[in-house]
Amino acid sequence: MNEKIAIIGAGLVGSLQAIYLAKRGYDVEVYERRPDLRKAELLAGKSINLALSDRGWKALDGVGIGDEIREMAIPMNGRMMHDKDGNLTYQAYGKEGQAIYSVSRGGLNQRLMNIAEPYENIDYFFDLKCKDVNLKSNEITFQHTQTKEKTTKKFDRIFGTDGAFSAVRTRLQKTNRFNYSQFYLEHGYKELTIPANEDGSHKIDKNCLHIWPRGEFMLIALANLDGSFTCTLFFPFEGKVSFESIKTDSDVIDFFSEYFPDVMDLMPNLTEDYFENPTSSLVTVRCAPWHYSDKVVLMGDASHAIVPFYGQGMNSGFEDCTVFNQLMEKHGNNWDEIFKEFSRDRIKDGNAIADLALRNFIEMRDLTADPMFLLQKKIERKISDKHPDKWTPLYSQVTFSHEPYSEALANGERQDSIMKQVMDRHDIFDVWDSDEIENEILRLL
Amino acid sequence: MNEKIAIIGAGLVGSLQAIYLAKRGYDVEVYERRPDLRKAELLAGKSINLALSDRGWKALDGVGIGDEIREMAIPMNGRMMHDKDGNLTYQAYGKEGQAIYSVSRGGLNQRLMNIAEPYENIDYFFDLKCKDVNLKSNEITFQHTQTKEKTTKKFDRIFGTDGAFSAVRTRLQKTNRFNYSQFYLEHGYKELTIPANEDGSHKIDKNCLHIWPRGEFMLIALANLDGSFTCTLFFPFEGKVSFESIKTDSDVIDFFSEYFPDVMDLMPNLTEDYFENPTSSLVTVRCAPWHYSDKVVLMGDASHAIVPFYGQGMNSGFEDCTVFNQLMEKHGNNWDEIFKEFSRDRIKDGNAIADLALRNFIEMRDLTADPMFLLQKKIERKISDKHPDKWTPLYSQVTFSHEPYSEALANGERQDSIMKQVMDRHDIFDVWDSDEIENEILRLL
């Protein structure tokens, strides 16, 4: 068949999609603007780790590489909330045995490239920036980032997996009737580190996602294999307590002493890290359609960049690969149908997970410190345990199922309106565990 | 003072803003991608006319050129609705003497250029496309559209008045935390013509905006000075009755015979026009902020392109000039403050008129044929006539006042909820003119 496919962007989704396409016999060329990640040093403050969950695993298992990735993943079975006095509250994410998995973004990306590159029909090209896409001829003009030399190449299909600031999407944005939005939060983030103990062990429980919810802002920590934790401070850019207001070492120390006293001792390089690491912004990108005729298609962050608060950015991108593969199964070589159906059916799920991720920011930074919210989750867990066929908590639908995100969102809204009625009872703290409450919920369902 | 200002885009807003700035003594250079409109022939099917109303007039009068423009404007005192049987219903837009004014977009633009160009400190440059804006040095790289020659020039301030597909905004879109959306309607439009009678008179009443509301689509007509009407068909791109479904001359004739029988006779060139004139799309653009430090600012469609259904596209752009001028009055040469305040205070009004324009599409194409809607408007008119200090209809707030759009929108929503309660009475058609109804509305206010 010898169709020549370009994948623009050698990130997580680009590399996984390359494997999916190579397994079907296509000639795949992967182009990356940056140098080869496996040779470059990781930028300080960009050590990001991610939470792999069921949708991601399914996509990895779909090409038989899940087990290899499991070796580099640390299971997190629940959230550990830290209050201002250092008190801990634990909340399991799902049922016994269910977990989300902390993985290093860079490490996972390297591993995927190492798995993809040996394929005879996959070639990687680095330091080549996509400068222009000719939508008539399907030619891409690349520019070498060092030599500035330009080259133009023609492809049968082009996959844009080049992230939130996608060059491929920027080209599609200029086509007629292309809907597009980019929306930034008023909050940014900064990465900080809890280093390992001298013996390489973790300073706090590695099998939890740690959260310090503080209303308008929060700190989180995910474990790394080397015993360290990558922490992320989500914080307003401007305002009375904000990135803008913290200017000196003593500002940092005062702020952490007041809000995160139990973390202070764990971060010997706090002030250095704070001022050396960049402050980054958080964008939500939506667009429609996700394709241009049978020539170009967008996947992952390029078509649906979301905020990180549901841990679904990578998982939703990987699920794109699963869904796309099912459509190749269904439509064979009919790219027109594949692209059209992918765009038509998947956009609503991209929008749903974008909405869910925005909402979960409120839940994480604020509600996880609220006794009413914690009680509600406890009631939902009870109903779900006793009637698993009738009630799956929204978090579990998103994280531990393969139900389309748009359906999860709709179910979640229905559940929320039921729980609102139940939680409105003035005596809910006394009767929450009663048969009466259980029956009321079942009746409302 | 000798500040050098670039205005990118010699359209309506660019030319008016040039005059405002020149009157304050700045050196203004206006750059236009297209050839000089005054020498080029108007493209067929792009004879667009617009409805000038109070906000637009105020901006023109602000530099003393309103009277000159009034000569080329035809007052339209109300809507004339045409039903499928050719029956007419007339609805005044405002009070006695209030009107909106039909003007030719091209003609108005030429006139503004002719007024601006004689200023010693205004220079026009044509066929120069803005290729890039260097936000650090405030240099613009232009490319000549014929010779392809590139030139780079440095400015103190840059005004982006280059329309819905603004090159200046496209550059700002790449800056951090720039919110942006472009959203297309499922409807497009096509221009058609009702030519003048042989003696140069108009075939239908020139002092009305004619509407043929048909639910999912509509036709409108605005008079030109030469006796012709420019008609616009707003129509779905796809679907059972749509641009897509009309393929042959007889399809056009069948469609018009069924839905617009009274127009058929007035359009001798219907089928030719239909197939020769382009089908255009309708975009809403929003962004924030509207400026980049004290260097670049966006105005008009470049920052708030809206759909044409409230007749406020040009008027809102012209009002930008009025608001901007007030800020120059207030802050003198402090561009930082001017740009910041313009962006901070005016964006909500840009968003409000975008929302109002989208909603008015429903009203025009659908509700103007609905007896309940017409009765509601009649009641509102009565209350407004008897209690002008208490009730100004939303349409009048938008069209015949200078109240910020965002406040008009909020007032309109309050009025709507009151009218909803009143119209819900089962006997409203009998009692609408009673004191009881009047008192109820006053009570609810």
Side-chain angles (χ1 to χ4, degrees):
Chain A
M1 89 188 103
N2 273 347
E3 283 233 15
K4 203 159 124 193
I5 291 178
I7 293 183
I8 308 303
L12 298 170
V13 174
S15 290
L16 181 58
Q17 182 64 8
I19 299 170
Y20 267 99
L21 291 167
K23 281 195 175 281
R24 291 188 170 269
Y26 296 107
D27 284 339
V28 183
E29 297 187 348
V30 187
Y31 291 87
E32 172 59 44
R33 184 169 57 87
R34 278 164 290 207
D36 189 342
L37 185 67
R38 294 164 296 182
K39 294 167 194 160
E41 295 209 21
L42 270 180
L43 286 172
K46 282 288 181 188
S47 57
I48 303 176
N49 39 23
L50 302 167
L52 241 173
S53 54
D54 287 26
R55 293 171 202 261
W57 289 119
K58 181 176 175 178
L60 295 168
D61 287 329
V63 285
I65 63 174
D67 288 339
E68 197 173 336
I69 306 302
R70 273 180 197 95
E71 290 164 16
M72 55 191 295
I74 301 174
M76 300 181 288
N77 299 97
R79 288 169 173 160
M80 186 68 83
M81 275 82 77
H82 298 240
D83 77 9
K84 275 171 97 169
D85 301 321
N87 300 316
L88 302 181
T89 313
Y90 177 77
Q91 196 185 23
Y93 276 128
K95 299 182 181 164
E96 189 65 36
Q98 286 185 323
I100 63 176
Y101 292 78
S102 175
V103 289
S104 144
R105 183 191 180 110
L108 176 58
N109 205 343
Q110 291 184 25
R111 192 72 69 103
L112 287 175
M113 288 159 93
N114 285 337
I115 295 169
E117 207 165 32
Y119 278 83
E120 231 174 45
N121 51 345
I122 298 181
D123 287 309
Y124 274 86
F125 300 90
F126 295 95
D127 305 297
L128 286 179
K129 188 174 171 175
C130 169
K131 287 293 282 184
D132 195 27
V133 183
N134 183 328
L135 294 174
K136 278 199 186 119
S137 61
N138 236 26
E139 288 173 315
I140 302 182
T141 302
F142 297 101
Q143 183 170 38
H144 196 281
T145 52
Q146 269 100 61
T147 65
K148 305 291 173 200
E149 199 189 332
K150 285 187 183 176
T151 45
T152 297
K153 262 186 153 175
K154 194 179 168 72
F155 300 94
D156 295 301
R157 314 295 141 206
I158 296 169
F159 285 71
T161 55
D162 47 347
F165 304 101
S166 169
V168 179
R169 186 195 64 229
T170 300
R171 177 64 192 86
L172 295 193
Q173 197 194 307
K174 291 182 209 159
T175 60
N176 193 23
R177 297 176 66 204
F178 188 81
N179 291 330
Y180 173 71
S181 80
Q182 60 185 42
F183 167 76
Y184 286 87
L185 285 194
E186 307 280 328
H187 289 68
Y189 69 92
K190 188 185 281 289
E191 299 209 354
L192 300 166
T193 303
I194 298 175
N197 288 317
E198 289 206 354
D199 64 357
S201 61
H202 290 85
K203 281 197 203 288
I204 52 177
D205 187 345
K206 70 172 179 178
N207 294 122
C208 302
L209 193 155
H210 295 268
I211 310 183
W212 291 258
R214 295 295 180 266
E216 271 305 297
F217 52 90
M218 68 173 178
L219 182 73
I220 66 167
L222 282 82
N224 297 313
L225 288 175
D226 67 1
S228 68
F229 280 82
T230 300
C231 307
T232 312
L233 174 66
F234 295 97
F235 202 36
F237 278 107
E238 283 124 31
K240 218 180 141 208
V241 185
S242 69
F243 282 122
E244 191 188 49
S245 75
I246 292 186
K247 297 192 175 88
T248 63
D249 282 12
S250 71
D251 290 344
V252 175
I253 289 169
D254 289 351
F255 170 64
F256 273 77
S257 309
E258 180 172 355
Y259 292 102
F260 310 114
D262 61 337
V263 191
M264 285 281 290
D265 300 338
L266 308 176
M267 292 183 170
N269 303 315
L270 172 60
T271 53
E272 292 88 333
D273 282 359
Y274 188 93
F275 290 108
E276 273 171 23
N277 292 348
T279 304
S280 306
S281 54
L282 293 159
V283 71
T284 300
V285 168
R286 301 171 202 250
C287 64
W290 285 1
H291 72 112
Y292 180 81
S293 77
D294 62 350
K295 292 173 175 170
V296 180
V297 70
L298 303 172
M299 295 174 88
D301 285 359
S303 47
H304 51 96
I306 63 178
V307 293
F309 308 110
Y310 227 117
Q312 288 293 319
M314 166 182 58
N315 290 295
S316 64
F318 280 179
E319 194 178 57
D320 286 351
C321 299
T322 305
V323 170
F324 196 90
N325 192 51
Q326 286 160 353
L327 292 172
M328 290 201 290
E329 206 66 64
K330 180 173 167 191
H331 295 297
N333 261 343
N334 189 340
W335 292 101
D336 193 48
E337 276 303 313
I338 296 171
F339 282 18
K340 219 188 281 174
E341 199 169 319
F342 181 68
S343 178
R344 191 192 64 206
D345 291 355
R346 182 84 180 140
I347 286 178
K348 61 181 182 314
D349 296 316
N351 284 331
I353 191 59
D355 291 338
L356 286 164
L358 286 166
R359 286 188 207 176
N360 220 42
F361 187 26
I362 315 285
E363 176 166 330
M364 282 180 87
R365 73 182 203 227
D366 206 352
L367 301 181
T368 53
D370 173 359
M372 278 295 270
F373 175 79
L374 295 175
L375 179 65
Q376 179 180 328
K377 292 293 136 184
K378 217 152 134 185
I379 301 172
E380 289 186 44
R381 172 57 35 84
K382 178 189 156 186
I383 300 293
S384 160
D385 283 346
K386 288 185 77 168
H387 308 278
D389 52 321
K390 292 193 176 140
W391 189 287
T392 307
L394 176 58
Y395 186 87
S396 296
Q397 293 177 58
V398 171
T399 308
F400 304 122
S401 93
H402 304 288
E403 188 180 1
Y405 289 121
S406 53
E407 289 172 25
L409 175 62
N411 289 339
E413 282 173 354
R414 206 164 46 95
Q415 291 176 348
D416 248 10
S417 75
I418 292 172
M419 289 310 294
K420 202 180 159 343
Q421 292 179 57
V422 173
M423 299 305 291
D424 272 351
R425 288 181 60 135
H426 67 281
D427 59 350
I428 188 65
F429 273 89
D430 302 322
V431 298
W432 73 270
D433 203 14
S434 66
D435 289 348
E436 190 195 343
I437 291 294
E438 182 180 336
N439 290 332
E440 190 181 338
I441 292 173
L442 294 177
R443 188 182 57 78
L444 290 168
L445 260 171
Chain B
M1 85 188 107
N2 273 347
E3 282 233 19
K4 203 158 125 193
I5 290 178
I7 293 184
I8 308 303
L12 300 169
V13 174
S15 290
L16 181 58
Q17 181 64 8
I19 299 170
Y20 268 99
L21 291 167
K23 281 196 176 279
R24 292 188 169 268
Y26 296 106
D27 285 340
V28 182
E29 297 188 347
V30 186
Y31 291 87
E32 172 57 45
R33 184 169 57 87
R34 278 164 291 208
D36 188 343
L37 187 65
R38 294 164 296 182
K39 294 166 192 161
E41 297 211 19
L42 270 180
L43 285 173
K46 282 287 179 189
S47 58
I48 302 176
N49 38 24
L50 301 168
L52 241 171
S53 55
D54 287 26
R55 293 171 202 261
W57 290 119
K58 180 175 177 180
L60 295 168
D61 288 329
V63 285
I65 63 175
D67 287 341
E68 197 173 337
I69 305 301
R70 273 180 197 94
E71 291 164 17
M72 56 191 295
I74 301 174
M76 300 181 287
N77 300 95
R79 289 170 175 160
M80 187 67 85
M81 273 84 76
H82 298 240
D83 78 8
K84 275 172 96 169
D85 301 322
N87 299 317
L88 302 180
T89 313
Y90 177 78
Q91 195 185 24
Y93 276 127
K95 298 183 181 160
E96 189 66 36
Q98 286 184 323
I100 62 177
Y101 293 78
S102 175
V103 289
S104 144
R105 182 192 180 111
L108 177 57
N109 204 342
Q110 291 182 27
R111 191 72 68 104
L112 288 175
M113 287 159 93
N114 285 336
I115 295 169
E117 207 165 33
Y119 279 82
E120 232 175 43
N121 51 346
I122 298 182
D123 287 309
Y124 274 86
F125 300 90
F126 295 95
D127 304 297
L128 286 178
K129 189 174 171 176
C130 169
K131 287 294 281 184
D132 196 26
V133 182
N134 183 329
L135 295 174
K136 277 199 187 120
S137 61
N138 236 24
E139 288 173 317
I140 302 182
T141 301
F142 297 101
Q143 183 170 37
H144 196 280
T145 53
Q146 269 100 60
T147 66
K148 305 292 172 198
E149 199 189 332
K150 286 188 182 175
T151 45
T152 298
K153 263 186 153 176
K154 195 178 167 72
F155 301 93
D156 295 302
R157 312 296 141 206
I158 297 169
F159 285 70
T161 56
D162 48 346
F165 304 101
S166 168
V168 180
R169 187 195 64 229
T170 300
R171 177 63 192 86
L172 295 193
Q173 197 195 307
K174 291 183 209 158
T175 59
N176 193 23
R177 298 176 65 202
F178 188 81
N179 290 331
Y180 173 72
S181 79
Q182 60 184 42
F183 167 76
Y184 286 87
L185 285 193
E186 307 280 327
H187 289 69
Y189 70 91
K190 188 185 283 288
E191 299 209 357
L192 301 165
T193 303
I194 297 175
N197 289 318
E198 288 205 355
D199 63 358
S201 62
H202 291 85
K203 282 196 200 291
I204 52 179
D205 187 345
K206 69 172 179 178
N207 294 121
C208 301
L209 191 154
H210 296 267
I211 311 183
W212 291 258
R214 296 295 180 266
E216 271 306 296
F217 52 91
M218 70 173 177
L219 183 74
I220 67 168
L222 282 82
N224 297 312
L225 288 174
D226 67 1
S228 68
F229 280 83
T230 300
C231 307
T232 312
L233 173 65
F234 295 96
F235 202 36
F237 278 107
E238 283 125 32
K240 218 180 139 207
V241 186
S242 69
F243 282 122
E244 190 190 49
S245 76
I246 292 185
K247 297 192 176 89
T248 64
D249 283 12
S250 71
D251 289 345
V252 175
I253 290 169
D254 289 351
F255 171 64
F256 273 78
S257 311
E258 180 173 353
Y259 292 103
F260 311 114
D262 62 336
V263 191
M264 285 282 290
D265 299 338
L266 309 175
M267 292 184 172
N269 302 317
L270 172 60
T271 52
E272 293 88 333
D273 282 359
Y274 188 93
F275 290 108
E276 273 170 25
N277 292 347
T279 304
S280 306
S281 54
L282 294 159
V283 72
T284 300
V285 168
R286 303 171 201 250
C287 64
W290 285 1
H291 72 114
Y292 180 82
S293 76
D294 62 349
K295 293 172 174 171
V296 180
V297 68
L298 304 173
M299 294 175 87
D301 285 359
S303 47
H304 51 96
I306 63 178
V307 293
F309 307 109
Y310 226 116
Q312 288 294 317
M314 168 183 56
N315 289 296
S316 64
F318 281 179
E319 193 177 57
D320 287 351
C321 299
T322 305
V323 171
F324 197 91
N325 192 51
Q326 286 161 353
L327 292 172
M328 290 201 290
E329 207 66 65
K330 179 173 168 191
H331 296 297
N333 261 343
N334 189 341
W335 292 102
D336 193 47
E337 276 303 312
I338 296 171
F339 282 17
K340 220 188 281 177
E341 199 168 320
F342 181 68
S343 178
R344 192 193 62 206
D345 291 356
R346 182 84 180 140
I347 286 178
K348 62 182 181 314
D349 296 316
N351 284 331
I353 192 58
D355 290 338
L356 285 163
L358 286 166
R359 285 189 209 176
N360 220 41
F361 188 25
I362 314 285
E363 176 166 331
M364 283 180 86
R365 73 180 202 228
D366 206 351
L367 301 181
T368 53
D370 172 359
M372 278 296 269
F373 175 80
L374 295 174
L375 179 64
Q376 179 179 329
K377 292 293 133 184
K378 217 153 136 183
I379 301 172
E380 289 185 44
R381 172 57 36 83
K382 179 188 155 187
I383 300 294
S384 160
D385 284 344
K386 289 185 77 167
H387 309 279
D389 51 323
K390 292 193 178 140
W391 189 287
T392 308
L394 176 59
Y395 186 88
S396 296
Q397 293 177 58
V398 171
T399 309
F400 304 123
S401 93
H402 303 288
E403 184 180 4
Y405 289 121
S406 53
E407 288 171 26
L409 175 62
N411 289 338
E413 281 173 353
R414 206 164 46 96
Q415 291 176 348
D416 248 9
S417 75
I418 291 172
M419 290 309 294
K420 202 180 159 345
Q421 291 179 57
V422 172
M423 299 304 290
D424 272 351
R425 288 181 60 134
H426 67 279
D427 59 349
I428 187 65
F429 273 89
D430 303 322
V431 297
W432 73 270
D433 204 14
S434 66
D435 290 347
E436 190 195 344
I437 292 294
E438 183 179 336
N439 290 332
E440 190 180 338
I441 291 172
L442 294 176
R443 189 181 57 77
L444 289 169
L445 260 171

